[in-house]
Tab-separated table of all heavy atoms in Angstrom:
chain	number	residue	atom	x	y	z
A	1	GLY	N	14.619	-80.711	-58.699
A	1	GLY	CA	14.608	-79.537	-57.831
A	1	GLY	C	15.993	-78.905	-57.794
A	1	GLY	O	17.002	-79.615	-57.738
A	2	VAL	N	16.045	-77.584	-57.851
A	2	VAL	CA	17.313	-76.862	-57.775
A	2	VAL	C	17.259	-75.911	-56.589
A	2	VAL	O	16.339	-75.087	-56.483
A	2	VAL	CB	17.598	-76.055	-59.061
A	2	VAL	CG1	18.922	-75.296	-58.928
A	2	VAL	CG2	17.638	-76.976	-60.275
A	3	VAL	N	18.212	-76.048	-55.694
A	3	VAL	CA	18.362	-75.112	-54.574
A	3	VAL	C	19.666	-74.357	-54.801
A	3	VAL	O	20.714	-74.962	-55.017
A	3	VAL	CB	18.392	-75.842	-53.216
A	3	VAL	CG1	18.740	-74.859	-52.087
A	3	VAL	CG2	17.046	-76.502	-52.939
A	4	VAL	N	19.586	-73.033	-54.768
A	4	VAL	CA	20.771	-72.192	-54.958
A	4	VAL	C	21.362	-71.850	-53.594
A	4	VAL	O	20.659	-71.361	-52.710
A	4	VAL	CB	20.423	-70.897	-55.722
A	4	VAL	CG1	21.626	-69.968	-55.784
A	4	VAL	CG2	19.935	-71.235	-57.128
A	5	ALA	N	22.646	-72.147	-53.431
A	5	ALA	CA	23.366	-71.804	-52.199
A	5	ALA	C	24.455	-70.802	-52.577
A	5	ALA	O	25.553	-71.184	-52.969
A	5	ALA	CB	23.960	-73.052	-51.565
A	6	GLU	N	24.131	-69.520	-52.465
A	6	GLU	CA	25.044	-68.464	-52.917
A	6	GLU	C	25.319	-67.473	-51.789
A	6	GLU	O	24.410	-67.057	-51.082
A	6	GLU	CB	24.454	-67.717	-54.118
A	6	GLU	CG	25.383	-66.641	-54.667
A	6	GLU	CD	24.928	-66.115	-56.019
A	6	GLU	OE1	23.742	-65.746	-56.151
A	6	GLU	OE2	25.750	-66.075	-56.953
A	7	GLY	N	26.589	-67.106	-51.627
A	7	GLY	CA	26.979	-66.108	-50.639
A	7	GLY	C	27.601	-66.735	-49.407
A	7	GLY	O	27.818	-67.954	-49.322
A	8	SER	N	27.896	-65.898	-48.431
A	8	SER	CA	28.487	-66.375	-47.179
A	8	SER	C	27.475	-67.211	-46.398
A	8	SER	O	26.269	-66.980	-46.472
A	8	SER	CB	28.940	-65.184	-46.333
A	8	SER	OG	30.019	-64.523	-46.964
A	9	ILE	N	27.999	-68.159	-45.634
A	9	ILE	CA	27.141	-69.067	-44.856
A	9	ILE	C	27.026	-68.538	-43.436
A	9	ILE	O	28.037	-68.334	-42.751
A	9	ILE	CB	27.723	-70.490	-44.858
A	9	ILE	CG1	27.885	-70.991	-46.300
A	9	ILE	CG2	26.840	-71.434	-44.063
A	9	ILE	CD1	28.601	-72.319	-46.417
A	10	VAL	N	25.797	-68.315	-42.990
A	10	VAL	CA	25.553	-67.740	-41.669
A	10	VAL	C	24.582	-68.628	-40.896
A	10	VAL	O	23.832	-69.409	-41.478
A	10	VAL	CB	24.993	-66.309	-41.777
A	10	VAL	CG1	25.985	-65.390	-42.464
A	10	VAL	CG2	23.651	-66.281	-42.509
A	11	ASP	N	24.602	-68.489	-39.584
A	11	ASP	CA	23.662	-69.232	-38.746
A	11	ASP	C	22.252	-68.679	-38.916
A	11	ASP	O	22.060	-67.481	-39.152
A	11	ASP	CB	24.072	-69.131	-37.278
A	11	ASP	CG	25.398	-69.823	-36.995
A	11	ASP	OD1	25.743	-70.756	-37.739
A	11	ASP	OD2	26.092	-69.419	-36.036
A	12	GLY	N	21.255	-69.555	-38.776
A	12	GLY	CA	19.858	-69.110	-38.764
A	12	GLY	C	19.311	-68.821	-40.144
A	12	GLY	O	19.607	-69.501	-41.124
A	13	GLU	N	18.494	-67.785	-40.232
A	13	GLU	CA	17.807	-67.410	-41.471
A	13	GLU	C	18.636	-66.387	-42.242
A	13	GLU	O	19.398	-65.620	-41.655
A	13	GLU	CB	16.435	-66.805	-41.151
A	13	GLU	CG	15.516	-67.692	-40.322
A	13	GLU	CD	14.775	-68.707	-41.177
A	13	GLU	OE1	14.529	-68.411	-42.359
A	13	GLU	OE2	14.451	-69.794	-40.643
A	14	ALA	N	18.472	-66.376	-43.550
A	14	ALA	CA	19.161	-65.389	-44.384
A	14	ALA	C	18.340	-65.139	-45.644
A	14	ALA	O	17.674	-66.040	-46.166
A	14	ALA	CB	20.566	-65.862	-44.761
A	15	GLN	N	18.390	-63.890	-46.120
A	15	GLN	CA	17.721	-63.543	-47.371
A	15	GLN	C	18.531	-64.063	-48.548
A	15	GLN	O	19.678	-64.491	-48.409
A	15	GLN	CB	17.575	-62.025	-47.499
A	15	GLN	CG	16.444	-61.445	-46.683
A	15	GLN	CD	16.154	-60.007	-47.068
A	15	GLN	OE1	16.970	-59.321	-47.667
A	15	GLN	NE2	14.979	-59.528	-46.704
A	16	ALA	N	17.938	-64.031	-49.741
A	16	ALA	CA	18.639	-64.424	-50.954
A	16	ALA	C	19.926	-63.612	-51.082
A	16	ALA	O	19.948	-62.415	-50.808
A	16	ALA	CB	17.750	-64.192	-52.171
A	17	GLY	N	20.986	-64.282	-51.505
A	17	GLY	CA	22.289	-63.635	-51.576
A	17	GLY	C	23.212	-64.085	-50.460
A	17	GLY	O	24.413	-63.836	-50.500
A	18	ARG	N	22.642	-64.768	-49.437
A	18	ARG	CA	23.432	-65.402	-48.379
A	18	ARG	C	22.800	-66.760	-48.069
A	18	ARG	O	21.636	-67.007	-48.365
A	18	ARG	CB	23.471	-64.543	-47.107
A	18	ARG	CG	24.252	-63.257	-47.268
A	18	ARG	CD	24.801	-62.771	-45.935
A	18	ARG	NE	23.760	-62.495	-44.965
A	18	ARG	CZ	24.007	-62.188	-43.684
A	18	ARG	NH1	25.254	-62.142	-43.246
A	18	ARG	NH2	23.019	-61.932	-42.849
A	19	ILE	N	23.604	-67.630	-47.468
A	19	ILE	CA	23.133	-68.978	-47.152
A	19	ILE	C	22.870	-69.058	-45.655
A	19	ILE	O	23.801	-69.056	-44.848
A	19	ILE	CB	24.188	-70.025	-47.554
A	19	ILE	CG1	24.535	-69.899	-49.036
A	19	ILE	CG2	23.689	-71.438	-47.242
A	19	ILE	CD1	25.777	-70.672	-49.432
A	20	GLY	N	21.620	-69.097	-45.269
A	20	GLY	CA	21.273	-69.288	-43.867
A	20	GLY	C	21.229	-70.778	-43.566
A	20	GLY	O	20.617	-71.550	-44.321
A	21	GLY	N	21.873	-71.209	-42.501
A	21	GLY	CA	21.856	-72.629	-42.170
A	21	GLY	C	20.435	-73.157	-42.082
A	21	GLY	O	20.098	-74.187	-42.680
A	22	ASP	N	19.576	-72.442	-41.375
A	22	ASP	CA	18.189	-72.887	-41.197
A	22	ASP	C	17.366	-72.699	-42.466
A	22	ASP	O	16.629	-73.598	-42.877
A	22	ASP	CB	17.529	-72.116	-40.036
A	22	ASP	CG	18.148	-72.465	-38.691
A	22	ASP	OD1	18.899	-73.460	-38.620
A	22	ASP	OD2	17.895	-71.728	-37.712
A	23	SER	N	17.466	-71.524	-43.090
A	23	SER	CA	16.611	-71.237	-44.246
A	23	SER	C	16.965	-72.106	-45.449
A	23	SER	O	16.071	-72.589	-46.158
A	23	SER	CB	16.684	-69.751	-44.623
A	23	SER	OG	18.015	-69.309	-44.716
A	24	THR	N	18.264	-72.359	-45.680
A	24	THR	CA	18.644	-73.230	-46.795
A	24	THR	C	18.260	-74.675	-46.506
A	24	THR	O	17.814	-75.404	-47.407
A	24	THR	CB	20.153	-73.111	-47.077
A	24	THR	OG1	20.468	-71.740	-47.350
A	24	THR	CG2	20.561	-73.954	-48.270
A	25	ALA	N	18.410	-75.099	-45.268
A	25	ALA	CA	17.979	-76.452	-44.895
A	25	ALA	C	16.475	-76.630	-45.127
A	25	ALA	O	16.023	-77.700	-45.571
A	25	ALA	CB	18.329	-76.724	-43.431
A	26	GLN	N	15.702	-75.608	-44.857
A	26	GLN	CA	14.250	-75.672	-45.082
A	26	GLN	C	13.926	-75.851	-46.566
A	26	GLN	O	13.007	-76.595	-46.933
A	26	GLN	CB	13.581	-74.404	-44.553
A	26	GLN	CG	13.521	-74.325	-43.032
A	26	GLN	CD	13.139	-72.944	-42.531
A	26	GLN	OE1	12.762	-72.059	-43.313
A	26	GLN	NE2	13.257	-72.727	-41.230
A	27	LEU	N	14.698	-75.165	-47.434
A	27	LEU	CA	14.471	-75.306	-48.875
A	27	LEU	C	14.793	-76.727	-49.333
A	27	LEU	O	14.055	-77.308	-50.139
A	27	LEU	CB	15.344	-74.299	-49.642
A	27	LEU	CG	15.062	-72.820	-49.399
A	27	LEU	CD1	16.036	-71.954	-50.192
A	27	LEU	CD2	13.629	-72.474	-49.771
A	28	ILE	N	15.875	-77.292	-48.827
A	28	ILE	CA	16.235	-78.667	-49.176
A	28	ILE	C	15.155	-79.633	-48.693
A	28	ILE	O	14.769	-80.575	-49.400
A	28	ILE	CB	17.608	-79.025	-48.576
A	28	ILE	CG1	18.695	-78.145	-49.201
A	28	ILE	CG2	17.926	-80.507	-48.776
A	28	ILE	CD1	20.037	-78.222	-48.494
A	29	ARG	N	14.644	-79.378	-47.481
A	29	ARG	CA	13.583	-80.233	-46.930
A	29	ARG	C	12.325	-80.142	-47.799
A	29	ARG	O	11.657	-81.150	-48.053
A	29	ARG	CB	13.275	-79.795	-45.502
A	29	ARG	CG	12.484	-80.817	-44.692
A	29	ARG	CD	12.294	-80.351	-43.257
A	29	ARG	NE	13.559	-79.925	-42.678
A	29	ARG	CZ	13.780	-78.741	-42.124
A	29	ARG	NH1	12.799	-77.841	-42.058
A	29	ARG	NH2	14.951	-78.442	-41.614
A	30	ARG	N	12.006	-78.944	-48.277
A	30	ARG	CA	10.840	-78.771	-49.149
A	30	ARG	C	10.979	-79.607	-50.417
A	30	ARG	O	10.042	-80.249	-50.872
A	30	ARG	CB	10.678	-77.298	-49.532
A	30	ARG	CG	9.538	-76.604	-48.802
A	30	ARG	CD	9.478	-75.145	-49.117
A	30	ARG	NE	9.381	-74.860	-50.544
A	30	ARG	CZ	9.607	-73.678	-51.084
A	30	ARG	NH1	9.972	-72.666	-50.326
A	30	ARG	NH2	9.476	-73.489	-52.374
A	31	ALA	N	12.174	-79.577	-50.986
A	31	ALA	CA	12.412	-80.360	-52.202
A	31	ALA	C	12.287	-81.853	-51.907
A	31	ALA	O	11.740	-82.619	-52.716
A	31	ALA	CB	13.789	-80.036	-52.763
A	32	ARG	N	12.803	-82.271	-50.759
A	32	ARG	CA	12.755	-83.688	-50.393
A	32	ARG	C	11.315	-84.158	-50.193
A	32	ARG	O	10.958	-85.280	-50.579
A	32	ARG	CB	13.561	-83.919	-49.116
A	32	ARG	CG	13.615	-85.376	-48.705
A	32	ARG	CD	14.560	-85.616	-47.544
A	32	ARG	NE	14.088	-85.078	-46.282
A	32	ARG	CZ	14.671	-84.089	-45.618
A	32	ARG	NH1	15.749	-83.518	-46.102
A	32	ARG	NH2	14.189	-83.657	-44.465
A	33	GLU	N	10.490	-83.319	-49.638
A	33	GLU	CA	9.113	-83.705	-49.320
A	33	GLU	C	8.151	-83.524	-50.496
A	33	GLU	O	6.999	-83.918	-50.412
A	33	GLU	CB	8.631	-82.897	-48.109
A	33	GLU	CG	9.386	-83.258	-46.822
A	33	GLU	CD	9.072	-82.326	-45.664
A	33	GLU	OE1	8.345	-81.324	-45.900
A	33	GLU	OE2	9.541	-82.595	-44.541
A	34	ASP	N	8.630	-82.914	-51.585
A	34	ASP	CA	7.810	-82.736	-52.781
A	34	ASP	C	7.867	-84.021	-53.606
A	34	ASP	O	8.921	-84.411	-54.115
A	34	ASP	CB	8.345	-81.556	-53.608
A	34	ASP	CG	7.422	-81.190	-54.761
A	34	ASP	OD1	6.716	-82.087	-55.274
A	34	ASP	OD2	7.423	-80.009	-55.170
């Protein structure tokens, strides 16, 4: 699994091009649970 963490890191959710603390954590969790 590859998770891309690109851009400034912000709290909460973020669209592609920024790293949202919550949204990026959710992607990592998805990879872990797959």
